[in-house]
Amino acid sequence: KERAKNAYIKHLRRLFHRMDDSMDGYLTWDEFTAAMAQTDAQNWLSALEVDPHQAATLFQMLDQGRGVISVDEFIIGILQLKGPAKSIDVVHILSLV
């Protein structure tokens, strides 16, 4: 189970970096919406049972009020979408960063 979780986190990290066109470690609204227009991102969202047309809602959920999403915000937020993140899971994820 731990191995699967780590593999999923690595996948999310790679996805984030593919979306981060400016390579500054943050996703802007423009980068996020451009990525959401791609078929692979739409398929990924569908696998998480998130409607790709809800990109604005997803961005607002992941954003911590700064107008950008960090890699940690992205991973933790997506894990919360996938299922309830326990405190120990969050600590574990942060230790991998």
Side-chain angles (χ1 to χ4, degrees):
K1 183 176 177 179
E2 187 72 22
R3 189 178 297 172
K5 181 191 289 185
N6 288 337
Y8 188 72
I9 290 168
K10 285 180 184 179
H11 173 73
L12 289 175
R13 188 176 307 282
R14 280 193 304 268
L15 178 63
F16 177 91
H17 291 297
R18 281 198 327 245
M19 295 168 66
D20 183 14
D21 290 334
S22 64
M23 297 186 290
D24 63 356
Y26 296 94
L27 292 179
T28 64
W29 170 247
D30 290 340
E31 289 172 324
F32 189 79
T33 55
M36 292 299 111
Q38 303 293 324
T39 304
D40 60 334
Q42 291 175 3
N43 291 337
W44 169 77
L45 285 175
S46 294
L48 291 173
E49 298 179 2
V50 175
D51 183 349
H53 298 99
Q54 294 178 325
T57 303
L58 181 59
F59 187 87
Q60 290 171 355
M61 187 203 77
L62 298 175
D63 176 28
Q64 298 295 310
R66 296 174 295 137
V68 294
I69 302 169
S70 72
V71 67
D72 293 337
E73 292 167 344
F74 182 76
I75 291 171
I76 291 168
I78 295 301
L79 287 176
Q80 289 174 336
L81 281 177
K82 190 173 185 288
K86 298 178 185 124
S87 297
I88 194 163
D89 293 332
V90 173
V91 171
H92 174 72
I93 291 163
L94 291 174
S95 73
L96 296 173
V97 176

